Amino acid sequence: MTRQQNDTLPSAEAQVRRSLSRHLMAGTALIAVLVLGAGGWAVTANVAGAVIARGSIVVDSHVQKVQHVAGGVVGELLARDGDKVEAGDVLVRLDSTLTRANLAVVAREMEALSARKARLQAERDGAASIQVPPALAARLDEPNVRNIIDSEQHQFDMRRIARDGQKAQLGERIAQIEQEIEGNLAQQRANAQELTLAHTNSTGHAICGSASSSRSPATPNWSARCRSWKRFAAS
């Protein structure tokens, strides 16, 4: 290797190093430009689309929901946000107007059913009047209870009159049928007597006819019998 060649090697290595440095700096600058450009675009650009997802928002506290099982209208609120309560404390009172109205309707239906039960038992036992239940007997001064009892008693009387009328009609029908039976029996007896008489007549005619035409020694006896039979038939 000559001296000229030895001098050329260090200069080539220096050129390679300088080239690598220039490329490294250029790459770094390009990456910085891309990062800054993307960040600036993300800050300043208006995105026309959005990602929609379901979620729920809750407050950062221990709020508990208080709800009645059957629901209703709140009439009075006895607790406020931040109040300290214990188990068994009354927090809310519901409006009792609708509940009381429903209770009155149900109570009236029960009273009517109780009075109807008493009427049906009286009809079953054949009583002359309804035995008012003790729970209703103590409240006869109330107009509603009095109206219920009077209505059931009136229906009881009307049904009893209708049953008595049906019984009377059935009794008359039974009497008519019995009379028809007696008439049919009498007719049957008369028919039997007529049949017996007709049979006797036919037998007598046959005997007397044969006796009159016969010449046997017993003919005089049969003639006497025929004369007796004719007198009986004529009578």
Side-chain angles (χ1 to χ4, degrees), residues 160-228:
R160 184 181 60 182
I161 293 173
R163 287 195 305 271
D164 293 340
Q166 291 178 355
K167 289 180 181 179
Q169 292 178 357
L170 292 175
E172 293 177 357
R173 181 58 179 166
I174 291 173
Q176 293 176 359
I177 293 175
E178 290 178 350
Q179 291 177 359
E180 291 178 0
I181 292 173
E182 291 294 333
N184 292 331
L185 292 176
Q187 184 66 34
Q188 183 179 3
R189 289 191 295 268
N191 292 335
Q193 291 176 359
E194 185 177 357
L195 180 62
T196 303
L197 182 60
H199 179 70
T200 303
N201 291 335
S202 61
T203 304
H205 281 295
I207 293 174
C208 292
S210 61
S212 60
S213 61
S214 176
R215 301 190 178 195
S216 61
T219 299
N221 295 332
W222 283 109
S223 298
R225 292 184 180 182
C226 287
R227 286 194 298 270
S228 299

Side-chain angles (χ1 to χ4, degrees), residues 71-82:
V73 180
V74 176
E76 186 178 1
L77 186 62
L78 302 178
R80 295 291 186 271
D81 190 11

Side-chain angles (χ1 to χ4, degrees), residues 94-184:
L94 299 179
D95 188 6
S96 60
T97 302
L98 181 60
T99 304
R100 291 181 183 277
N102 293 333
L103 178 61
V105 172
V106 174
R108 189 169 300 176
E109 291 179 354
M110 292 182 63
E111 293 169 356
L113 291 175
S114 179
R116 184 178 304 174
K117 178 182 177 182
R119 174 178 63 81
L120 294 176
Q121 288 178 347
E123 292 179 355
R124 180 198 62 188
D125 300 336
S129 61
I130 298 177
Q131 184 68 30
V132 181
L136 299 180
R139 300 169 53 197
L140 288 178
D141 55 341
E142 298 181 10
N144 293 333
V145 177
R146 171 57 65 182
N147 291 334
I148 292 174
I149 297 299
D150 292 343
S151 176
E152 293 296 333
Q153 183 65 44
H154 177 70
Q155 188 174 1
F156 173 79
D157 295 337
M158 297 302 296
R159 289 170 63 90
R160 184 181 60 182
I161 293 173
R163 287 195 305 271
D164 293 340
Q166 291 178 355
K167 289 180 181 179
Q169 292 178 357
L170 292 175
E172 293 177 357
R173 181 58 179 166
I174 291 173
Q176 293 176 359
I177 293 175
E178 290 178 350
Q179 291 177 359
E180 291 178 0
I181 292 173
E182 291 294 333
N184 292 331

